[in-house]
Amino acid sequence: MGFTKQLIKAGSGAKPAKGQTVTVQCTGFGKNNDLNVPFWSTKDAGQKPFTFQIGLGKVIKGWDEGVMSMQLGEVARLTCTPDYGYGAGGFPAWGCGTFLLSPLLNYCLQHHAQRH
């Protein structure tokens, strides 16, 4: 189990290290079990880029490991198995049902701050 990564645009910077703060633009797909339909995006009205410390289990495992494999400026599509996403039950509040097998997440790594 895990994730697969499809490179959309290569980055040119360093990869983030465990514990580092990263900021990403992202869109999650899989609403109503359809991987072509988004359920949330940082580009939606009222949303902003998502910032978190990477590799510390503060986000889903697919984000922790997937984003850690990306270079600064890279754009990639990550397909996560349920154990690396929202689990077998999905994320009902966002319309991701129990039969969702691979939440699809797009990431654009914008920057990483200094290591803490």
Side-chain angles (χ1 to χ4, degrees), residues 13-24 50-59 63-65 67-72 109-116:
K15 293 180 180 180
K18 184 176 181 178
Q20 198 165 15
T21 299
V22 297
T23 299
V24 298
F50 183 57
T51 300
F52 61 97
Q53 282 184 287
I54 198 160
L56 301 178
K58 295 184 177 188
V59 294
W63 290 31
D64 260 347
E65 293 185 18
V67 176
M68 200 175 318
S69 75
M70 296 174 70
Q71 289 182 284
L72 184 63
L109 189 58
Q110 291 190 321
H111 73 274
H112 8 283
Q114 294 297 319
R115 228 178 180 181
H116 296 154

Side-chain angles (χ1 to χ4, degrees), residues 57-89:
K58 295 184 177 188
V59 294
I60 61 172
K61 200 169 187 176
W63 290 31
D64 260 347
E65 293 185 18
V67 176
M68 200 175 318
S69 75
M70 296 174 70
Q71 289 182 284
L72 184 63
E74 181 176 318
V75 179
R77 178 167 285 175
L78 303 176
T79 303
C80 304
T81 56
D83 59 319
Y84 271 58
Y86 299 109

Side-chain angles (χ1 to χ4, degrees), residues 27-39:
T27 301
F29 290 86
K31 187 170 185 168
N32 300 321
N33 301 317
D34 184 341
L35 293 178
N36 295 308
V37 179
F39 60 83

Side-chain angles (χ1 to χ4, degrees), residues 4-12 25-27 29 35 43 66 69-79 104-109:
T4 58
K5 181 171 95 172
Q6 175 189 3
L7 184 64
I8 295 170
K9 177 186 164 205
S12 60
Q25 290 281 10
C26 53
T27 301
F29 290 86
L35 293 178
K43 296 180 181 183
S69 75
M70 296 174 70
Q71 289 182 284
L72 184 63
E74 181 176 318
V75 179
R77 178 167 285 175
L78 303 176
T79 303
L104 192 60
L105 304 163
N106 293 327
Y107 292 93
C108 176
L109 189 58

